[in-house]
Amino acid sequence: STFQFKESYPEPYSVPTPKPEWLELIKDAKITNAEPLKTKDGALVVPSDLNGDPNCVWSFTQCLGKDDVYTCPDSKWSLTFDDGPSEYTPKLLDFLKSINQKATFFVVGGQVLQYPEILKRAYNEGHEIAMHSWSHKNMATLTNEQLVGELKWNELAIKEVLGVSPRFFRPPFGNIDNRVRDICKALGFTPVIWSVDTNDWYLTEHADTFDPKWITGNVTQWAATAKGGNSLAHDLYEETVAAAIDYTPVLAKAFELTSVGDCNGLSSYTNGNGTAVNPPPAASKSSEGSPAASNAPGS
């Protein structure tokens, strides 16, 4: 890469320590007092006192916070891609350019360090760039301080490359609760979940049993029945990019494809100092009910 980062960044995919000045941004914030969730063998442990889900944990009950964005209004659709940028992202960008459509990319810290030019290209071609954490861990398992580090290091790497601070943050695996939401809000970020999951990560993790045609089959059903939506997919693997190139035309025929910010009438970027540029959104509630439950490690 010819891009030279000036900042010294934490180890990719490690939980980072925040800069002291970042902790100042949350010191007067009202943050839900919730214990970090536990994991066992890599899986989240469901708390015994989940009754009523007082902390609104999306992973357990698909509970949405009032500012969470998860879909698009009628007739609009957001294609969203997580975990990049990667060496396969340019192929997806070429395709999106050829059909003149825009997407939202939720990028991970270490991938930004590895592929800054690809990130810049996506941004320059009009795609929306958003955050997907520094370490790609379950966010609700981390401490408040660690969460600040996850968000601000992710933001800083993007800002160094693009000159703008993203507004939107998608928690890996959709793992968010009110404590994580409060920290996002104090830092000026807006959480984004999804309304439907392509489950494209099965293409790499269950390649022997999973047929890529199943994804296009699901997408065909969404195109026929959904009013609007926000689909979760990934640009980290050759297989998931190939699947996206296959199913995107189905969605493009049925919906106006646009970014998460665009379809929800929200600015994509903030001024980066812990205050959002404009008031927090009312999350769009246009799709019936809540998003389909997904136990996917996806995202």
Side-chain angles (χ1 to χ4, degrees):
S1 160
T2 54
F3 185 87
Q4 289 299 310
F5 285 94
K6 297 182 185 68
E7 183 71 51
S8 312
Y9 285 93
E11 193 57 36
Y13 296 100
S14 64
V15 176
T17 304
K19 297 186 180 204
E21 60 266 32
W22 294 343
L23 295 176
E24 291 294 301
L25 298 170
I26 66 161
K27 80 170 194 304
D28 299 323
K30 194 170 170 339
I31 296 169
T32 299
N33 184 14
E35 282 291 305
L37 296 173
K38 304 273 188 282
T39 55
K40 189 178 177 186
D41 304 326
L44 282 172
V45 176
V46 181
S48 53
D49 59 349
L50 188 65
N51 198 11
D53 190 16
N55 294 318
C56 189
V57 185
W58 190 89
S59 311
F60 300 143
T61 63
Q62 276 68 64
C63 180
L64 290 159
K66 69 175 182 357
D67 298 336
D68 292 2
V69 174
Y70 72 91
T71 189
C72 281
D74 290 6
S75 79
K76 297 189 179 198
W77 193 278
S78 290
L79 291 172
T80 71
F81 296 95
D82 291 10
D83 295 356
S86 78
E87 61 190 295
Y88 307 109
T89 307
K91 190 175 181 186
L92 179 58
L93 294 174
D94 290 346
F95 169 72
L96 291 169
K97 194 176 189 176
S98 75
I99 61 167
N100 194 25
Q101 300 292 349
K102 302 291 179 269
T104 298
F105 289 89
F106 291 93
V107 300
V108 176
Q111 298 299 116
V112 172
L113 299 186
Q114 204 176 345
Y115 300 105
E117 278 93 357
I118 295 173
L119 183 73
K120 202 161 181 51
R121 177 188 163 188
Y123 175 73
N124 289 345
E125 291 181 2
H127 300 290
E128 181 173 63
I129 307 301
M131 304 186 299
H132 197 40
S133 83
W134 186 264
S135 72
H136 204 279
K137 304 278 190 293
N138 281 296
M139 293 291 108
T141 64
L142 305 179
T143 66
N144 293 1
E145 290 74 20
Q146 288 171 328
L147 285 163
V148 171
E150 289 282 348
L151 289 157
K152 294 297 286 183
W153 281 116
N154 196 190
E155 174 198 31
L156 189 58
I158 295 166
K159 191 174 185 182
E160 242 205 276
V161 179
L162 304 181
V164 294
S165 288
R167 177 200 193 130
F168 298 116
F169 166 64
R170 173 172 280 162
F173 322 112
N175 182 234
I176 193 168
D177 65 2
N178 284 338
R179 182 174 64 90
V180 179
R181 289 183 183 97
D182 290 343
I183 289 170
C184 282
K185 187 173 183 174
L187 297 175
F189 303 128
T190 298
V192 178
I193 309 288
W194 55 87
S195 62
V196 288
D197 186 348
T198 62
N199 286 317
D200 60 353
W201 57 275
Y202 275 83
L203 293 170
T204 53
E205 293 193 23
H206 303 280
D208 48 342
T209 55
F210 191 79
D211 184 342
K213 289 197 211 55
W214 293 342
I215 297 179
T216 305
N218 284 343
V219 170
T220 304
Q221 194 183 343
W222 302 337
T225 59
K227 294 199 161 119
N230 170 331
S231 52
L232 167 65
H234 299 82
D235 59 323
L236 188 58
Y237 304 105
E238 193 170 15
E239 296 86 342
T240 57
V241 166
I245 290 171
D246 193 53
Y247 63 69
T248 295
V250 179
L251 290 169
K253 274 200 197 80
F255 302 99
E256 179 192 338
L257 298 186
T258 175
S259 68
V260 169
D262 217 35
C263 82
N264 284 284
L266 300 171
S267 57
S268 307
Y269 304 100
T270 78
N271 55 14
N273 66 354
T275 49
V277 171
N278 49 20
S284 48
K285 297 283 191 263
S286 53
S287 68
E288 289 89 302
S290 72
S294 154
N295 301 318
S299 177

